[in-house]
Amino acid sequence: MSALIALPAAADDLKILAAGAIAPVVRTVAADFEQRSGVQVTVENATAGVMDKRVRSGAAFDVVVVPDGVLNGLGKDGYLNLASSRPIARVGIAVAVKQGAPSPAIATVAQFRKALLDAPSVALIDPKAGGSSGIYLEKLFEKLGIAAQMHAKEVLVPGGLVAEKLVDGGAALVLHQQSEILQVKGAHLVGPLPAAIQNYTVYAGAVGAHSASAVAARAFLTMFAEPAARKAIEEHGLSPEDR
């Protein structure tokens, strides 16, 4: 049985802002934290870009868990207590098709490029929505010299689980964070992008600069280093990120 977490008697509820692929892990940790501390935790999820705007617009929160680049920017601008920051997990981009469909060869950059060109439609997070994988992929298409072809067949998703487009017939191929693909029943994970062009998103957490529950927020963040949290990270297709 998990030990109880000792917090001030008047500890307030916690509000967590979690971006993209890390959200399922944050919810798992939140449930454990609630059971052990008695503090109610609310987890909100959106793209990193949306979370960045939400924080900057004055939204109330206690902890953010976002890509480290976004976190550092918010910290430097005074929205977070950077001394409390903690790297949590990393995840790469992967390719998926509908369950039962043929899996394209993607082991090399040339094979991956061919798979993209051969697919009649390819779904990804809309870069304008602030999704980290979508922003990277748009630049990658340019680097591979196929930007024009991809723009003609892209299915841009503003947020959520892009692989759902495979299930509803909206796309033949999906590019998204591996952990997000694994959440969709009916999607088949083909594999990660080739190592030479892979892009990892490192998620990190920090306490809000104006949190009224800073002690509880710090205690919440420490739980990501515990075995149960590390197991949840791996089960959801991410890798623990140690200091």
Side-chain angles (χ1 to χ4, degrees):
M1 182 177 178
S2 299
L4 295 177
I5 297 174
L7 294 172
D12 294 322
D13 296 346
L14 289 181
K15 181 176 180 181
I16 316 297
L17 303 182
I22 197 69
V25 176
V26 174
R27 291 192 183 100
T28 298
V29 172
D32 190 15
F33 185 80
E34 284 186 338
Q35 184 177 20
R36 294 168 60 182
S37 69
V39 174
Q40 183 176 346
V41 183
T42 301
V43 179
E44 295 186 4
N45 176 229
T47 66
V50 169
M51 287 307 182
D52 183 69
K53 291 177 182 177
R54 196 171 294 178
V55 170
R56 293 180 184 278
S57 68
F61 70 96
D62 298 293
V63 174
V64 294
V65 184
V66 292
D68 56 1
V70 174
L71 184 141
N72 290 332
L74 290 172
K76 290 176 182 176
D77 291 340
Y79 295 98
L80 304 175
N81 176 0
L82 276 182
S84 69
S85 67
R86 170 185 293 273
I88 294 173
R90 69 166 56 200
V91 63
I93 299 171
V95 178
V97 295
K98 187 174 183 178
Q99 194 78 42
S103 293
I106 59 168
T108 67
V109 175
Q111 288 176 336
F112 172 72
R113 184 178 185 276
K114 183 178 185 301
L116 293 181
L117 293 174
D118 288 347
S121 53
V122 179
L124 60 146
I125 282 281
D126 189 344
K128 293 180 181 177
S132 56
S133 62
I135 292 170
Y136 173 76
L137 288 167
E138 285 289 279
K139 295 177 181 177
L140 178 62
F141 297 157
E142 293 180 6
K143 182 178 178 181
L144 295 177
I146 58 173
Q149 296 96 313
M150 295 308 298
H151 288 160
K153 68 172 75 180
E154 285 177 343
V155 178
L156 299 178
V157 182
L161 300 174
V162 178
E164 290 178 344
K165 289 296 179 182
L166 298 172
V167 182
D168 66 19
L173 197 74
V174 155
L175 304 174
H176 202 194
Q177 308 284 26
Q178 177 172 301
S179 55
E180 303 263 55
I181 291 171
L182 291 174
Q183 294 182 59
V184 179
K185 186 176 181 180
H188 172 67
L189 179 68
V190 178
L193 266 60
I197 55 172
Q198 179 61 274
N199 181 70
Y200 291 98
T201 298
V202 176
Y203 289 92
V207 177
H210 305 294
S211 170
S213 305
V215 174
R218 285 177 180 271
F220 177 81
L221 281 175
T222 64
M223 291 189 63
F224 286 97
E226 296 190 359
R230 294 173 69 87
K231 180 181 179 182
I233 287 169
E234 293 170 349
E235 287 178 343
H236 285 289
L238 300 95
S239 300
E241 182 74 5
D242 298 316
R243 286 187 178 274

